[in-house]
Every structure is written in structure tokens, then in C-alpha cells.
């Protein structure tokens, strides 16, 4: 019954925001005036950008302190609420480090694109903190994570195999996001951000339904977007593996009580590894060597396929899309002119020049396709290799990369004060 | 503690009910038929149409204004209500969420160490399942990418690709007029107009950077002649004082398919060295899809088949032409037309010749009492039949290309003539630097000087380049870059503009864009119209004297040393 009520609530949330998407029908100007694009919030002033960066630094520092020093789950939760309000509803979810990944990719591949300082800071700072203190950003600073954290009411653990398979998607999504940004096609992370519609109380119907679905799933599966799709999470995962300090489930020595084993709703607690005999270790070594030899082959196959998929993927680019629309209209007598093709014809540009530009873009997609395919092959290969290595772990540990620093595991540890406080209802 | 949780539960229940009621009310508002988008209102559209039919009708205008205002008021009112509802819903949902959390503060179930499986075998099972999962994920990604390849067509059409696959030569008979109109078979294309067929060609290029340069091929010997094109073959010639060569180039790749020197039996006749600007190979070749016909300053004329075999050769020299001979070849059915204007009218040696394209034998010959001319003959198709137009002092003249009979003449030309006449919509246009432009109705007989000259205009007449007409305007480009636009309807000058650069290449028209290539190889794009508008410039990076030629997806520009195909690779 409660679940039904929750479902209703979430769908209602999505529907309410969907209504907000309706636009005021503009008057029919006859002066050639073009309405400005209002799909994204207007640029913020320099002062506000500096304030945003300052708030980000403050929030990251506070999150790091709450997780590593204070070990306060409650503090992290309230920080998340604060971030949700500021970075989410107040700043309307933009700029965020997740989307900034694309700006950085575009800046690297397009010298004519000037990367705003604020965007650069939003990209770099959480990664910098992750290098030293783990994923502080995910713990209570990211508004996308915070909104999912809020709705997590009945966490259900996913089977390990499903968890790993789904996690692959985040790597693929990162590759695609960089690919599309670098080729100048689209900022897909922003376009398909499932939560920004809620933050702005506006958005396309599909986007809001997508966000509603994520929140609905998020009631039972902890932070599905963060774990299985977030491209920036991949970078934070990699940075977190190198971090100097990190979350420790226990503040003291682990007594192997196993009480925390199922405490993490994000599947980020690594169990102690069982002992292996010499034969098993030798067999594992042989398999590892074989896989390492096969890795370049796997990468090459995927890279080739990626290059071939470059042309179909280039359809995302507006120029390529326009060129094909124009060609279709010319070849098919019954093809109806679209707004885009009508606008194109008014520019006076020839079809050939349009096609030349489109083919130029396609060439970039094909070249980038090698890297995209290679990246996917590399991810699959390394994940498989990781499963053929024998870990050596003595205690229960928060996984260096995957731990979101949410502090949910702290109360489970009998060696910490948090546990006692929880069991006594906060009276300790 | 239990009491507090019960309170939270009650709050949660109230919040859920409240949110549900708001949701229902909003649904009702949303589904209500009134309050539609004003622009979708049938009544509003009817009134708008009515006003468009009777724009001066103030009553209709007032009704439309009032209706528009009412509709917008209603629309905004509804929007405000929905916005308020959305806010209330959001607040209700947030309260419900917090209350649910507070009412049920349980931590995750703690595992029971006694029942948990914890062994190497169990871990191995997990790992094996994970390996399979990753493997299957990889296969799915592989399959997804393969599906993209197979199912999503994304080939951007390459301009002229299909035509460039067409066979180079035709087997039977001379080409029809319709076929000729799609080829660039002689100087300035069909009817010598300089107007490109509706091929899709790029209008932006950069020779140095290689932008839109499909290929670039070195031409061994220089020549002022322009390329001619037949489907996938491009022909041009080059010569010096010792050698005369014909080049056949693959239009697709730029590969030199063959290069042939003229086979001349016996001793080569001596002739006066031409002026440097004219050179030994000024006449542009012509092709009928079976043969390519070439001519040089030596007055040697030859035919080659598409495989590069010399079919016949005739010599008409030496010609009495100061500066060097430069008239290009023209074709009418199975006749090759030569304008052998030379010397002066008081010692007439000039003539118009028609040679059989298959054998080179003279079919007819018409003497002309004219001075030397450097213009070229053009065959045009008038309502009364085909005519070949010739320009040489003192006459602008038209002949029957079938018999060589003179059709009409107009005594309007003086001095030395290089611009080739053009024709459009029943009117022939002749230009000479000193006398200007003459528009002559092509329907006359005999001497039409007094009867058929529509107008003349002395503004901006060029000394080398040929004029161009777009149907409404005539464009004249002087060597020094002075571009003049004259109205066809009354012969009045519409505008004049002094462009940078010096020009030997005649102007071309692609769609509504004039292409004007100066001697430095810079092509200026000017909008064809009643006002001057420079659209841009393209640099070839090599000096250019020859006029542009056009083929499917390609513009051909001959530089001093290379032939450039501008198009998509």
C-alpha cells in the first residue's frame, strides 16, 4: 500500500513538472524578429559564478570533514539537502561537474571554444578532492545524487553480476558523451539529464518521465543514475582509487563481525578475500596473462567497429541531420519540408556546401569512432581482467572507487559510537 | 517514540491525500477543453484569414484583437493555476516524503553471520556469474554497434557521383540538344552561355588548403584554352612552339587517362609566333561524346576518339592573325564549325567552315568580308531554327549551321573583337570594347542593322571576356575588373562595380551566383541581381586565364600549371 502511495507520489511529481513545461505561445511577429532560445537558464554574472565556485569548495570541504573526520551520516544527509536546494533548485542544476565533462572535452578538441573558468573549476575541484579524500562530491554535494538519496526508502541489494554489468553502462555513456561533445554534435549528458527538469520545474515530457522512472527505481535501488550511468562518476571512481585518504567503515580495527556486509545500498563494500592455494593462484595467473594478450585484440575489434559506426552516430550532429533531410526532400517527391530545411534554404547556402560541411563532420565522427570503440573494448577487457585477478583483502573495506562516501555504513560498525547512538535512538 | 512515529504517519497520510487531490484538480484543468493555445483556435484562425483577405476591414481587425486578448487571458489564467497547483503538489510531495521517512526510521537489516554464505566457492560462483555478465554486456554492445552499421543509413550524397559513373563516350550519332545542354562540350558550355547546368557544385574552395579541391592534376604544356567536359572525361590542350598535345583526364580521380601529341605528316608549316598572352593553344576544344576536336595557333585541327586515337587532322594555316589565333571550336550535329577570321576586310581571307566530324572533310564553306577576330562561334537554338553567331568587325552575323547560308547581319562591330556573342530568349548580344553592347533580335533576315537592334549600351564593354545573361540582366566584366550590370528589358545600366583584380576568364553563372575568376586565381562570388552584392572570395593559389567549366559535382578551373576540380572528393 505504501509502495503504491509512493509510486503515485512520484508520478505526480513528474506530471506536475510536465505541465510546467508548457510554453507561452509567442505572438506572430512579422518583423523577422527571432525569439531567443530559452531552453537553458541565462548565463550567470561573474560574481555569481565566483560565489558558486566558493560554495562548491565549501561544500566539498564540509563533506570531506563530515565523512573522514566527523563520521556523521546525519551531517552528510543534511549537506545533501542543502546542496539539493542550492545546486539543484536554486542554480537549476547548471553548471554541474557532470555536464562540465562535455565542456572540457569540447575545449580540448575545438580550439575555438573558450572554456569558462567556472566550468573548469566545477570539473576539476571534485576530481581534485577525490584524489585526496575519495568521492566527497558524491556524498552530499552533487544535487543529482542528493535527490536520489532523498527518495531511497527501501534499499534492495542487486546481485553482483547485475551490478557489474550495469556499471559498464556508465563507462559507455562517458565515452559517448565525450565523443558527441568533442565532435560538436551535442551535450548528451545535459540533454538527457533526468533530474534537471525537476530542478527547473520545467522540461520535456519524456525527460520528466525519465526522471520520474529514475526516482521510482531509486526508492528501491540506491542511486541508480550515479551508479549505472553517471559519466562523471566514472572519473571520480578512477580518481578515488588513487585517493590519499578514504572512507573507512570502522574507525578502529575491523573485528570481522560482518555486521556491515549488507549495509551499503550501493554495493560498495568489498568483502575479505578467501585464501587461495598455490594451484589456484597459478591458474589465475595463466588466465590473466592470456587475457592481457587478448586485450589489444579486443580493443582493436571494438575500435574498428566504432569507426564504422561513426557515420550512423553522426546523425546526432545537426549538420549531418540537416544534410540528410535536404537530400531526402530532394530525392522523394512526397517528402514534406521541415522547419530546418526551410530555414536552410533561406540561408542561400548550396546543398553541396552543406554536404561538404556534413561530410567533414562525418569524418570527425569516423575518426572519433576509433577512440570510442577502443574505449568500450578497453572497458570490457579491463573489467574481465579484474574478474580474473585474485584480490588480497583481509578486512571489510569501502571500495576505493565505488564508495560514494555516503556514511551509511558507519552506524553498523560496533566499534564506532554511531552504532550505539543508532541503537539507542540517538539518546547516547 | 511510537507516538511520534504515529504522528509522522498521520502527516504522511494527510500529505498524500492532499497531493492526490491537487493532482486530480490539475488533471481536470489540464484536460478541460477551454484554454487552448490561442494560435490553435479555429475561430482565431478564421478571423485571421478573413483579415488577410480584407486587410482594411477595421471591424474584423477589432474582433480579432479582442478574441486574441480573450484567448491569451484565458490561457495565462490557466497557466497560472497550473503553476500554483504544481507548487502545491511539490510541497505536498516533499512533506509526504519527509513524513514517510520519519515514520519508518529503520536501518538496513543486519546480516546474520550464521546463515551467510562465506566461502571461496561461493565467491567463485559470484565471480563466474559476473564474468558472464560482463561478457554478455560486451556482446550486446558489439551487437548494438553492428546494428547501427546495418540499420541506420547515413551516407551523405556525393554531388555528381552517379553522373561520374556514366560512360565517357556515346556510341551512336551526334548528341541531341538535350544531351548537349547537360554537358560542357565546348567553350562556355551549351550555347556558349557560361551558365552552368543545374549540377550541384560547391561554391567555396581554397586551393592552397585543399578545401573542396577534389583533385589537382599537373598539365604538361600551357594553354589559354578552357577545359571541356563529357560525363567522366575532361579534355584540354597545351602547346608550345614545338609540341601540340591533347589531354584526357578522369573527372572522378584527376588521373591523366591519356596524353597525345598531334601526329603531323610531313613538314610542319611555319607560322607567326603568337603573343604571349594568347599562346599556342588558345582555342578551346569541343566534344560530341564520340570525338574530341582540338585546334591550335598553327591552325591545325584534329579529332581524337575517347581512347586517344587520332582520327583525322587538317591544317588551315598559317593564319593571318595578329596576337595569335584564339577562336574556339563549335559543334552542330555532325559538323565542326571553325571561324577562320583573319586579315582585313579589304583583303578578305576570312571564312566560316564546317567540317565533317567523322572525316574532317569540308562540308560547306562561307566566305566572310570581315577583319580578324578572336571571338568564337556559338551555335544557338532559336525559335526559327539553329543559328551560328559570329562577331568580327564590321558585322554581327548569324549563319545557318546546316548549310552555311548567311541569315542576318548587323553592322555594329568595329575594331578588334575577342568577346564571344551570347543568346537568350530570342535576342543575341554582341560586345566590342569600343562600340559597347548590342542586343539584336535573332529573328531577322538580311541586314538587320536598322530593324532588329533593340538597344546598345557603351558602359563597361570588355575587350577580352564574354558577356553573360541571366534572363533579366546582362553582366559585362572588363579586363580591369569593372563589372557592369545592364537591364535586358531596356538596355539601361543598373549598376557598376569596380572589382579587384584583372580578368581574362569569362564570367560564369551557377544558380544565382556569378563566378568571376581573376588572373591571380581569386574567384569572386557576386549575387546575380539588381544590386551589387559580393558574396565572398575563393583563392585557387595559382594564376588563371581560362574560363571555368562545369561537370557533375565539379567546377574545373585551369591554372597556369594545373587543372583543378573543385568538388567533393
Amino acid at each position: 500500500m505504501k509502495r503504491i502511495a509512493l509510486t503515485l507520489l512520484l508520478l505526480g511529481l513528474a506530471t506536475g513538472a510536465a505541465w510546467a513545461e508548457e510554453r507561452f505561445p509567442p505572438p506572430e511577429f512579422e518583423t523577422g524578429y527571432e525569439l531567443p532560445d530559452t531552453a537553458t537558464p541565462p548565463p550567470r554574472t561573474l560574481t555569481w559564478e565566483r560565489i558558486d565556485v566558493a560554495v562548491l569548495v565549501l561544500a566539498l570541504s564540509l563533506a570531506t570533514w563530515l565523512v573522514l573526520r566527523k563520521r556523521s551520516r546525519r551531517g552528510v544527509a543534511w549537506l545533501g539537502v542543502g546542496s539539493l536546494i542550492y545546486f539543484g533548485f536554486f542554480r537549476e542544476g547548471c553548471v554541474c561537474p557532470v555536464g562540465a565533462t562535455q565542456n572540457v572535452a569540447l575545449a580540448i578538441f575545438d580550439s575555438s571554444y573558450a572554456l569558462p573558468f567556472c566550468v573548469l573549476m566545477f570539473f576539476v575541484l571534485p576530481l581534485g578532492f577525490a584524489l585526496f579524500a575519495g568521492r566527497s562530491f558524491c556524498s552530499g554535494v552533487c544535487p543529482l545524487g542528493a535527490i536520489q538519496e532523498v527518495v531511497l526508502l527501501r534499499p534492495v541489494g542487486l546481485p553482483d553480476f547485475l551490478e557489474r554489468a550495469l556499471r559498464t553502462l556508465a563507462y559507455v555513456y562517458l565515452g559517448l558523451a565525450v565523443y558527441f561533445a568533442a565532435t560538436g554534435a551535442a551535450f548528451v549528458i545535459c540533454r538527457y539529464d533526468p533530474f534537471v527538469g525537476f530542478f527547473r520545474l520545467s522540461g520535456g515530457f519524456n525527460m520528466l518521465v525519465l526522471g520520474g522512472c529514475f526516482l521510482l527505481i531509486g526508492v528501491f535501488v540506491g542511486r541508480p543514475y550515479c551508479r549505472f550511468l553517471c559519466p562523471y562518476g566514472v572519473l571520480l571512481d578512477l580518481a578515488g582509487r588513487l585517493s590519499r585518504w578514504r572512507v573507512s567503515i570502522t574507525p578502529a580495527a575491523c573485528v570481522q563481525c560482518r555486521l556491515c556486509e549488507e549495509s551499503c545500498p550501493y554495493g560498495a563494500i568489498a568483502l575479505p578475500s578467501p585464501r587461495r592455494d598455490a594451484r589456484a593462484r597459478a591458474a589465475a595467473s595463466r588466465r590473466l596473462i592470456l587475457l592481457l594478450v587478448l586485450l589489444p585484440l579486443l580493443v582493436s575489434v571494438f575500435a574498428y567497429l566504432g569507426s564504422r559506426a561513426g557515420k550512423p552516430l553522426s546523425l546526432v550532429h545537426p549538420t549531418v541531420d540537416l544534410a540528410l533531410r535536404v537530400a531526402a526532400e530532394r530525392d522523394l517527391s512526397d517528402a514534406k519540408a521541415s522547419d530546418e530545411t526551410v530555414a536552410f534554404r533561406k540561408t542561400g547556402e548550396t546543398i553541396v556546401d552543406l554536404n561538404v560541411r556534413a561530410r567533414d563532420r562525418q569524418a570527425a565522427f569516423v575518426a572519433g569512432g576509433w577512440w570510442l570503440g577502443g574505449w568500450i573494448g578497453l572497458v570490457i577487457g579491463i573489467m574481465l581482467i579484474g574478474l580474473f585477478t585474485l584480490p588480497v583483502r583481509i578486512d571489510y573495506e569501502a571500495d576505493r572507487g565505488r564508495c560514494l562516501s555516503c556514511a551509511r555504513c558507519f552506524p553498523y560498525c560496533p566499534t564506532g559510537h554511531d552504532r550505539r547512538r543508532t541503537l539507542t535512538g540517538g539518546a547516547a | 517514540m511510537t507516538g511520534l512515529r504515529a504522528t509522522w504517519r498521520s502527516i504522511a497520510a494527510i500529505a498524500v491525500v492532499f497531493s492526490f487531490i491537487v493532482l486530480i484538480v490539475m488533471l481536470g484543468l489540464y484536460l478541460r477543453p477551454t484554454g487552448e493555445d490561442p494560435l490553435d483556435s479555429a475561430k482565431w484562425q478564421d478571423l485571421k484569414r478573413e483579415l488577410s483577405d480584407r486587410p482594411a476591414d477595421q471591424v474584423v481587425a477589432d474582433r480579432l484583437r479582442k478574441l486574441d486578448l480573450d484567448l491569451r487571458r484565458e490561457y495565462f489564467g490557466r497557466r497560472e493555476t497550473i503553476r500554483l497547483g504544481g507548487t502545491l503538489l511539490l510541497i505536498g510531495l516533499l512533506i509526504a516524503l519527509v513524513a514517510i521517512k520519519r515514520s519508518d526510521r529503520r536501518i538496513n537489516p543486519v546480516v546474520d553471520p550464521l546463515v551467510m554464505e562465506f566461502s571461496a566457492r561461493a565467491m567463485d560462483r559470484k565471480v563466474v556469474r559476473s564474468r558472464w555478465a560482463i561478457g554478455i554486456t560486451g556482446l550486446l554492445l558489439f551487437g548494438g554497434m553492428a546494428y547501427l552499421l546495418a540499420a541506420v543509413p547515413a551516407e551523405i550524397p556525393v554531388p555528381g557521383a552517379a553522373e561520374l559513373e556514366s560512360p565517357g563516350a556515346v556510341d551512336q550519332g551526334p548528341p541531341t540538344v538535350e544531351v548537349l545542354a547537360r554537358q560542357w562540350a565546348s567553350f562556355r558550355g551549351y550555347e556558349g552561355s557560361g551558365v552552368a547546368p543545374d549540377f550541384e557544385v560547391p561554391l567555396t574552395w581554397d586551393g592552397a588548403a585543399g578545401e573542396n579541391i577534389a583533385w589537382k592534376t599537373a598539365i604538361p604544356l600551357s594553354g589559354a584554352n578552357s577545359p571541356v567536359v563529357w560525363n567522366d572525361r575532361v579534355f584540354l590542350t597545351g602547346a608550345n612552339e614545338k609540341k601540340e598535345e591533347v589531354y584526357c583526364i578522369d573527372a572522378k580521380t584527376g588521373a591523366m587517362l591519356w596524353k597525345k601529341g598531334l601526329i603531323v605528316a610531313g613538314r610542319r608549316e611555319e607560322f607567326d609566333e603568337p603573343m604571349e598572352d594568347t599562346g599556342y593553344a588558345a582555342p578551346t576544344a569541343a566534344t560530341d561524346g564520340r570525338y574530341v576536336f582540338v585546334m591550335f595557333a598553327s591552325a591545325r585541327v584534329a579529332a581524337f576518339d575517347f581512347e586517344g586515337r587520332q582520327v583525322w587532322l587538317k591544317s588551315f594555316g598559317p593564319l593571318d592573325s595578329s596576337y595569335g589565333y584564339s577562336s574556339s571550336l563549335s559543334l552542330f550535329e555532325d559538323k565542326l564549325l571553325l571561324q577562320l577570321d583573319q586579315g582585313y576586310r579589304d583583303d578578305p581571307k576570312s571564312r566560316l567552315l564546317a567540317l565533317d566530324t567523322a572525316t574532317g572533310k569540308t562540308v560547306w564553306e562561307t566566305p566572310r568580308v570581315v577583319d580578324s577576330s578572336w571571338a568564337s562561334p556559338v551555335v544557338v537554338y532559336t525559335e526559327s531554327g539553329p543559328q551560328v553567331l559570329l562577331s568580327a568587325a564590321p558585322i554581327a552575323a548569324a549563319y545557318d549551321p546546316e548549310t552555311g547560308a548567311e541569315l542576318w547581319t548587323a553592322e555594329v562591330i568595329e575594331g578588334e573583337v575577342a568577346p564571344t556573342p551570347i543568346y537568350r530568349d530570342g535576342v543575341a548580344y554582341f560586345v566590342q570594347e569600343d562600340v559597347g553592347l548590342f542586343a539584336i533580335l535573332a529573328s531577322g533576315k538580311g541586314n538587320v542593322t536598322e530593324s532588329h537592334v533593340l538597344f546598345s549600351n557603351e558602359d563597361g564593354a570588355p575587350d577580352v571576356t564574354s558577356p553573360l545573361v541571366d534572363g533579366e540582366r546582362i553582366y559585362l566584366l572588363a579586363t580591369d575588373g569593372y563589372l557592369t550590370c545592364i537591364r535586358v528589358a531596356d538596355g539601361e545600366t543598373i549598376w557598376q562595380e569596380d572589382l579587384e583584380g584583372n580578368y581574362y576568364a569569362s564570367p560564369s553563372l551557377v544558380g544565382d551566383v556569378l563566378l568571376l575568376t581573376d588572373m591571380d586565381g581569386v574567384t569572386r562570388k557576386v549575387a546575380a541581381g539588381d544590386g551589387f552584392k559580393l558574396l565572398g572570395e575563393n583563392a585557387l593559389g595559382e594564376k588563371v586565364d581560362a574560363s571555368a567549366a562545369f561537370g557533375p559535382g565539379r567546377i574545373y578551373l585551369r591554372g597556369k600549371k594545373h587543372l583543378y576540380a573543385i568538388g567533393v572528393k
Side-chain angles (χ1 to χ4, degrees):
Chain A
M1 187 63 194
K2 224 173 213 178
R3 288 186 182 184
I4 294 168
L6 276 170
T7 310
L8 193 68
L9 282 171
L10 289 163
L11 284 177
L13 188 67
T15 316
W19 279 330
E21 158 62 11
E22 280 189 287
R23 302 283 186 208
F24 160 62
E28 287 189 335
F29 289 103
E30 293 176 353
T31 56
Y33 173 77
E34 287 180 15
L35 285 169
D37 184 7
T38 56
T40 52
R44 298 170 76 81
T45 62
L46 196 60
T47 309
W48 270 109
E49 284 189 359
R50 286 172 182 163
I51 291 171
D52 290 341
V53 173
V55 172
L56 178 67
V57 173
L58 191 69
L60 285 169
S61 308
L62 189 59
T64 306
W65 179 73
L66 286 170
V67 173
L68 297 186
R69 298 285 296 172
K70 186 76 174 165
R71 293 177 60 80
S72 167
R73 165 63 197 157
R74 180 171 294 185
V76 170
W78 279 112
L79 178 62
V81 171
S83 297
L84 181 61
I85 292 168
Y86 183 81
F87 291 115
F89 290 101
F90 177 61
R91 290 194 69 242
E92 299 183 327
C94 189
V95 176
C96 77
V98 185
T101 309
Q102 301 161 115
N103 299 73
V104 172
L106 181 61
I108 291 170
F109 290 95
D110 181 359
S111 56
S112 65
Y113 176 72
L115 183 66
F117 175 75
C118 171
V119 176
L120 179 65
M121 286 296 101
F122 265 75
F123 177 76
V124 168
L125 284 171
L127 282 174
F129 271 79
L131 274 174
F132 289 95
R135 296 172 69 167
S136 305
F137 178 71
C138 301
S139 67
V141 184
C142 176
L144 307 183
I147 196 170
Q148 295 171 87
E149 188 82 32
V150 165
V151 300
L152 180 57
L153 296 174
R154 289 284 181 277
V156 175
L158 291 182
D160 199 48
F161 73 89
L162 188 59
E163 171 97 24
R164 286 179 188 273
L166 289 174
R167 225 165 48 224
T168 316
L169 299 180
Y171 288 84
V172 176
Y173 194 28
L174 172 66
L176 281 171
V178 171
Y179 179 63
F180 285 127
T183 49
F187 279 14
V188 288
I189 299 174
C190 301
R191 188 182 288 182
Y192 300 107
D193 185 331
F195 306 118
V196 77
F198 300 128
F199 297 151
R200 293 175 190 170
L201 296 177
S202 173
F205 182 76
N206 293 340
M207 182 190 274
L208 290 163
V209 168
L210 180 70
C213 290
F214 267 107
L215 290 182
L216 193 61
I217 295 167
V219 173
F220 310 105
V221 178
R223 294 199 188 192
Y225 182 80
C226 300
R227 288 156 71 193
F228 309 131
L229 271 182
C230 181
Y232 194 65
V234 171
L235 301 178
L236 289 172
D237 181 325
L238 298 173
R241 289 173 196 276
L242 308 171
S243 62
R244 171 75 178 82
W245 299 281
R246 66 189 72 94
V247 168
S248 166
I249 299 170
T250 174
C254 178
V255 295
Q256 305 251 346
C257 67
R258 303 177 62 187
L259 292 174
C260 65
E261 200 165 303
E262 295 290 314
S263 67
C264 181
Y266 312 125
I269 290 182
L271 275 53
S273 50
R275 288 175 182 279
R276 307 281 181 173
D277 58 25
R279 237 175 81 187
R281 285 200 299 274
S285 299
R286 282 196 298 275
R287 282 197 295 266
L288 181 63
I289 290 166
L290 180 66
L291 276 171
L292 285 171
V293 171
L294 288 176
L295 183 63
L297 181 66
L298 186 71
V299 171
S300 305
V301 168
F302 270 90
Y304 174 72
L305 202 59
S307 74
R308 297 295 308 277
K311 280 190 177 178
L313 286 170
S314 69
L315 286 172
V316 175
H317 198 286
T319 305
V320 178
D321 179 55
L322 179 63
L324 289 171
R325 277 171 191 254
V326 170
E329 280 178 20
R330 191 192 47 192
D331 296 342
L332 305 172
S333 55
D334 58 342
K336 200 177 166 188
S338 64
D339 291 344
E340 290 86 350
T341 55
V342 170
F344 162 72
R345 289 182 203 291
K346 285 181 182 170
T347 63
E349 187 183 16
T350 66
I351 294 175
V352 175
D353 284 336
L354 170 67
N355 286 348
V356 166
R357 283 198 294 127
R359 286 167 65 84
D360 182 48
R361 285 295 83 209
Q362 266 196 344
F365 271 85
V366 171
W370 285 98
W371 291 98
L372 175 67
W375 165 254
I376 293 173
L378 187 69
V379 167
I380 298 290
I382 287 181
M383 282 194 165
L384 279 174
I385 287 171
L387 287 166
F388 279 93
T389 52
L390 297 177
V392 181
R393 197 178 298 110
I394 299 165
D395 294 330
Y396 286 85
E397 290 175 6
D399 185 281
R400 284 187 179 195
R402 286 153 58 193
C403 174
L404 300 175
S405 302
C406 68
R408 281 177 184 265
C409 57
F410 295 166
Y412 288 81
C413 182
T415 62
H417 298 294
D418 303 326
R419 171 73 178 166
R420 284 200 295 278
R421 193 162 54 210
T422 303
L423 293 177
T424 56
Chain B
M1 208 54 199
T2 313
L4 190 61
R5 283 189 185 157
T7 308
W8 279 115
R9 274 198 203 103
S10 303
I11 292 171
I14 292 166
V16 167
V17 171
F18 172 77
S19 303
F20 189 73
I21 290 168
V22 173
L23 192 65
I24 295 296
V25 171
M26 287 176 70
L27 267 173
L29 273 174
Y30 186 71
L31 298 175
R32 207 172 60 170
T34 54
E36 63 187 332
D37 185 331
L39 302 185
D40 289 341
S41 160
K43 201 173 167 189
W44 184 87
Q45 286 175 346
D46 288 344
L47 273 173
K48 193 156 185 263
R49 267 193 295 275
E50 212 176 322
L51 186 65
S52 152
D53 294 339
R54 301 198 304 276
D57 193 331
Q58 196 56 41
V59 177
V60 177
D62 288 343
R63 279 170 59 204
L64 178 60
R65 279 200 194 96
K66 184 172 182 315
L67 178 65
D68 188 276
L69 187 65
D70 290 346
L71 285 170
R72 285 174 190 276
R73 269 187 186 147
E74 190 172 347
Y75 179 83
F76 277 117
R78 182 169 147 268
R79 295 283 305 112
E80 279 305 310
T81 312
I82 288 176
R83 185 176 290 277
L84 176 67
T87 311
L88 288 175
L89 187 63
L90 191 64
I91 292 168
L93 291 171
L94 282 174
I95 293 172
L97 203 59
V98 172
I100 289 170
K101 281 208 162 194
R102 302 297 299 181
S103 67
D104 188 29
R105 297 197 66 199
R106 290 186 303 179
I107 57 173
N108 288 354
V110 175
V111 294
D112 183 346
L114 298 176
V115 296
M116 279 209 61
E117 196 177 27
F118 185 63
S119 66
R121 186 175 294 176
M123 295 280 276
D124 286 346
R125 272 203 301 272
K126 272 188 178 180
V127 168
V128 169
R129 281 193 211 113
S130 297
R131 285 174 192 162
W132 276 105
I134 297 294
I136 290 168
T137 306
L139 282 175
L140 287 174
L141 289 168
F142 189 91
M145 290 162 85
Y147 171 78
L148 267 181
L149 278 177
V152 182
E155 283 300 330
I156 295 167
V158 177
E163 290 99 324
L164 287 174
E165 296 296 337
S166 305
V170 293
D171 296 329
Q172 295 169 348
T176 62
V177 173
E178 289 73 28
V179 170
L180 277 175
R182 294 286 300 168
Q183 304 290 345
W184 201 265
S186 55
F187 178 60
R188 301 193 79 206
Y190 178 65
E191 291 189 325
S193 64
V195 178
D198 58 347
F199 296 139
E200 292 177 358
V201 291
L203 292 181
T204 305
W205 64 85
D206 185 331
E211 181 191 349
N212 282 346
I213 303 296
W215 48 259
K216 169 186 171 183
T217 299
I219 303 301
L221 297 181
S222 65
N225 65 89
S226 305
V228 293
V229 187
W230 193 276
N231 288 341
D232 64 348
R233 305 287 175 95
V234 185
F235 300 100
L236 64 167
T237 67
N240 56 25
E241 66 276 18
K242 291 178 183 165
K243 285 194 289 188
E244 292 164 327
E245 290 181 343
V246 187
Y247 309 113
C248 175
I249 292 167
D250 186 334
K252 247 172 96 174
T253 63
M256 181 80 77
L257 295 175
W258 50 262
K259 177 184 85 171
K260 298 289 178 182
L262 250 60
I263 304 168
V264 182
R267 192 177 63 84
R268 288 175 182 255
E269 290 177 342
E270 295 293 323
F271 62 97
D272 292 339
E273 185 180 340
M275 196 176 78
E276 190 181 348
D277 280 3
T278 311
Y280 291 88
T284 294
T287 176
D288 61 0
R290 298 172 298 173
Y291 305 112
V292 56
F293 308 96
V294 296
M295 188 173 181
F296 296 90
S298 61
R300 279 187 277 269
V301 181
F304 288 78
D305 68 12
F306 270 37
E307 301 308 313
R309 291 182 288 258
Q310 185 173 310
V311 181
W312 53 259
L313 178 134
K314 297 283 174 186
S315 184
F316 299 94
L319 295 172
D320 179 10
S321 178
S322 51
Y323 311 136
Y325 185 79
S326 69
S327 295
S328 298
L329 299 171
S330 190
L331 280 163
F332 175 70
E333 296 178 349
D334 54 359
K335 297 173 190 65
L336 178 67
L337 305 176
L338 276 67
Q339 181 180 356
L340 295 177
D341 290 346
Q342 54 187 311
Y344 296 94
R345 70 191 88 162
D346 51 3
D347 177 23
K349 289 186 277 188
S350 302
R351 58 201 197 274
L352 174 64
L353 247 81
L355 307 182
D356 184 282
T357 52
T359 62
K361 289 179 180 166
T362 301
V363 180
W364 51 256
E365 181 175 338
T366 301
R368 281 163 52 78
V369 184
V370 294
D371 297 342
S372 290
S373 173
W374 294 264
S376 300
V378 286
V379 174
V380 299
Y381 298 87
T382 71
E383 284 185 3
S384 55
Q387 299 183 4
V388 52
L389 304 179
L390 272 69
S391 184
I395 55 169
Y399 298 82
D400 181 348
E402 186 63 47
T403 62
E406 186 180 277
L407 297 174
W408 55 263
T409 59
E411 293 170 8
V412 294
I413 307 292
E414 284 304 327
E416 295 171 339
V417 190
T420 296
I422 53 171
Y423 169 85
R424 176 91 183 231
D425 301 331
V427 182
Y429 300 92
F430 291 76
V431 184
Q432 199 279 333
E433 185 185 12
D434 302 325
V435 296
L437 169 75
F438 283 85
I440 304 169
L441 270 177
S443 53
K445 295 285 178 195
N447 189 328
V448 299
T449 313
E450 300 300 326
S451 58
H452 284 69
V453 176
L454 295 174
F455 63 79
S456 65
N457 186 324
E458 292 183 10
D459 290 344
D463 59 340
V464 175
T465 69
S466 302
L468 190 141
V469 57
D470 68 1
E472 296 176 32
R473 292 159 289 264
I474 305 149
Y475 302 92
L476 305 176
L477 178 65
T479 301
D480 60 4
Y482 221 71
L483 180 64
T484 303
C485 177
I486 295 168
R487 191 177 296 112
V488 162
D490 56 12
E492 292 299 316
T493 301
I494 306 173
W495 51 262
Q496 286 188 292
E497 188 69 27
D498 190 8
L499 299 177
E500 286 181 36
N502 296 305
Y503 298 79
Y504 275 172
S506 295
S508 308
L509 184 71
V510 181
D512 296 327
V513 179
L514 291 167
L515 297 182
L516 313 169
T517 305
D518 73 11
M519 291 183 198
D520 289 328
V522 176
T523 299
R524 292 183 174 82
K525 296 180 283 186
V526 174
D530 288 337
F532 173 78
K533 188 179 176 189
L534 183 65
L535 300 174
E537 295 182 356
N538 303 320
L540 193 66
E542 190 170 326
K543 290 189 177 298
V544 174
D545 287 343
S547 301
F550 297 83
R554 302 266 197 269
I555 301 174
Y556 300 98
L557 279 180
R558 179 178 190 164
K560 284 285 186 190
K561 294 185 182 301
H562 297 89
L563 177 66
Y564 292 79
I566 291 151
V568 180
K569 284 177 188 170

